[in-house]
Structures are given as structure tokens and as C-alpha cells.
Amino acid sequence: TNYQEVPVVTTISPPEKYKNVFFSKPANGQVSQILKGIGWKQSEDPVQASILWYQKKQYIPWKKLSKWHRPNHLIIERELGHKGKLLDHLLNYEKDMKVKLPFLPTSFRTWLQGDREDFIQTSNTLSNETWIVKIPHKDGGKGISMAPPNSPKLASIKEQLMPDKYDNSDAKEDELIIQRYVKDIMLYEGHKFDLRIYWAILSINPLIVVYRDGTLRVSLGSYNTKNFTDLKVHLTNAVMQKKSEFYKQNKEKTRVTFPEFQTYLNTKKHQYKEITDSPFDHIKCQVKSA
């Protein structure tokens, strides 16, 4: 694929009679109430509506839809939502464009023989590295484990990837992703966090993207690279944090707004003075670049 040749995307308007008509499954969800509240009409037939909202994308009748229909899912969204497919695309992009993506850590796909061999060699060479192991088709923190140096987990993974063991191993059944665990990270009050930001691509050519500031998803446990048994420390997704016995009384601490983040970073400016005088603006620039 030549990633520099981007097709022009034009907008096709729906028929006038369907312009302010929507279909929702489930029929009485929050989105349905909002659309009706602003004057939209609800249809019982998805083909006779311009906006389609489905809680479960497998129910969308793709073959019946026209180019003017606007469903809330993409027919090929699994190419991004599936960890294995996303990694394939990122690594293929690096290879085709002859670049190294700075945000992508060293990664191996156990369904490829070359990657299995490379991981065994790399993990032996980088004996002090911690690895994070993922089952590509799972989400919500399910199927993720940590493999620190000299751990039984790391030894087990390496054994499963040996040529004489792989065919009958869990690694073959699950088709694992193994990645170098990034430890040197920015923390919020001593806790690991990620940025949850949504954006909309309005046009490819010209490129028009709109977004709003998002939130920080913060782990409840203090960040600790000496202990990899408690995944709630190292995974920041909400499903994992809800497993904590302290979640109910500390639920509000798992979400931090951007203004709160800015206030916090302003108190830590001295830590980042060699990089920037304004750490919050620096991060905002990186968000826009991404």
C-alpha cells in the first residue's frame, strides 16, 4: 500500500425524507432520547433512516445500506479494535515507509515463527526487561499478564515458543502479542494513567479532525515496578479498576479532567524544564500531532 496516495472522500446527502430520521437498537436508549429531544423522528426500519445507532455492531444490515447512511460503527473497525490486526498494520507501515514509530514498543507476534525466534533471542539478550503479554482478541484487561525478568511467567512463555513445544501450547491457541513494558512514564500523583480522547475525522482530503479535551484514566494503586502481580497498578482501564476493593470509595479518583491535569503539571514544571517551559501545552501539541 502506498500510504501517501489518499483518496478524496465526498459527502453524499441522504434523501430529504430521511434527513432527520434515526434508527436505534436498543430502541429506547440514551442516544434515542437525545435525538428525539432535538426533534428527530425515529424509524423502525434502519434503511429508512439517515443515522443508525447500534449497541452491537453485528446487527447492522451492511448489505442493505447506501453510501448516505451514517452508522455508528465502521464495517472494518476490527482492523483497529483487534490488537493483533492493529499491530500488523503498524508494523507493516514501519516496513513500507521505512520509519520507526516512536510510540510503538518492541513487539512480537507469536503466530509468526520469525517473531517467536526473535523474542527468545531478544529476551535472553535483554535479560532485565519486563514484558507484557496480551491475547489479541480480548479487551477490558482480560488476557493480559506481566512477565518480569527471571519470573516463572517469562520462563513458561519462552518454553511454549520453542519449536518442539509450540504446536501444543497455549501460546499457539491464543496467538499472543508480547511487548516490552514501558516503565519510564509520566505519573499523576504517583499513579499510572492514560489519556482517553475521542475525535472525529470529518474529511480525509483535506484532512479535518475535530476533538475535545478528554480525561485521564488513573489507576488506584501507586505505580510500582517492583511488583507486577497486581495488574490494577499497571492497567488503567475502568474494568480493571472496578476490581479493586477500594473502588467504591475512590471512584472519582480514577477520572481526572484536563484542567485538573494542567493544574497538577504546573506544580511540576521544574521536572520538565529541560524539555519545555509548559508541560501541559507540550502534551496538547503531541495530542494534536497524533
Side-chain angles (χ1 to χ4, degrees), residues 172-189:
K172 180 175 183 179
E173 181 178 352
D174 292 328
E175 296 189 323
L176 302 175
I177 289 174
I178 306 174
Q179 294 178 299
R180 181 179 61 83
Y181 184 60
V182 180
K183 297 179 184 177
D184 185 17
I185 57 175
M186 175 183 283
L187 301 176
Y188 180 83
E189 300 284 6

Side-chain angles (χ1 to χ4, degrees), residues 125-149:
T125 303
L126 303 177
S127 56
N128 292 323
E129 285 288 356
T130 295
W131 303 91
I132 185 166
V133 184
K134 306 173 183 178
I135 298 177
H137 64 273
K138 294 188 175 183
D139 55 20
K142 296 185 289 290
I144 293 182
S145 57
M146 308 291 293

Side-chain angles (χ1 to χ4, degrees), residues 19 174 191 288:
K19 266 193 173 180
D174 292 328
H191 297 253
K288 290 180 180 179

Side-chain angles (χ1 to χ4, degrees), residues 155-181:
S156 173
I157 291 293
K158 291 166 70 173
E159 183 178 7
Q160 291 184 56
L161 299 185
M162 298 299 291
D164 59 333
K165 299 288 181 66
Y166 179 69
D167 284 342
N168 297 313
S169 70
D170 291 337
K172 180 175 183 179
E173 181 178 352
D174 292 328
E175 296 189 323
L176 302 175
I177 289 174
I178 306 174
Q179 294 178 299
R180 181 179 61 83
Y181 184 60

Side-chain angles (χ1 to χ4, degrees), residues 26-54:
N28 296 313
Q30 186 176 13
V31 172
S32 174
Q33 299 302 318
I34 291 173
L35 288 173
K36 284 191 287 189
I38 59 175
W40 281 58
K41 296 180 181 179
Q42 186 168 6
S43 171
E44 296 182 358
D45 182 356
V47 177
Q48 298 179 4
S50 61
I51 296 293
L52 314 180
W53 182 272
Y54 283 83

Side-chain angles (χ1 to χ4, degrees), residues 1 3-4 7 11 27 36 40 45 63 92 98 129 170 193 200 247-248 262 284:
T1 302
Y3 294 92
Q4 294 176 332
T11 301
K36 284 191 287 189
W40 281 58
D45 182 356
K63 292 182 179 180
N92 287 338
K98 296 180 175 58
E129 285 288 356
D170 291 337
F193 69 91
Y247 179 75
K248 286 187 177 180
Q262 182 175 15
K284 286 288 291 285

Side-chain angles (χ1 to χ4, degrees), residues 24 26 40 45 51 55 76 84 144 147 171 222 229 236-237 255 269:
S24 178
W40 281 58
D45 182 356
I51 296 293
Q55 188 71 33
I76 58 168
I144 293 182
S222 297
T229 58
T236 53
N237 58 312
R255 279 286 196 272
K269 281 186 176 181

Side-chain angles (χ1 to χ4, degrees), residues 260-279:
E260 291 172 323
F261 186 36
Q262 182 175 15
T263 299
Y264 172 77
L265 286 178
N266 285 340
T267 67
K268 303 291 181 181
K269 281 186 176 181
H270 62 282
Q271 295 183 12
Y272 310 107
K273 61 183 179 181
E274 294 183 3
I275 301 173
T276 177
D277 292 329
S278 178

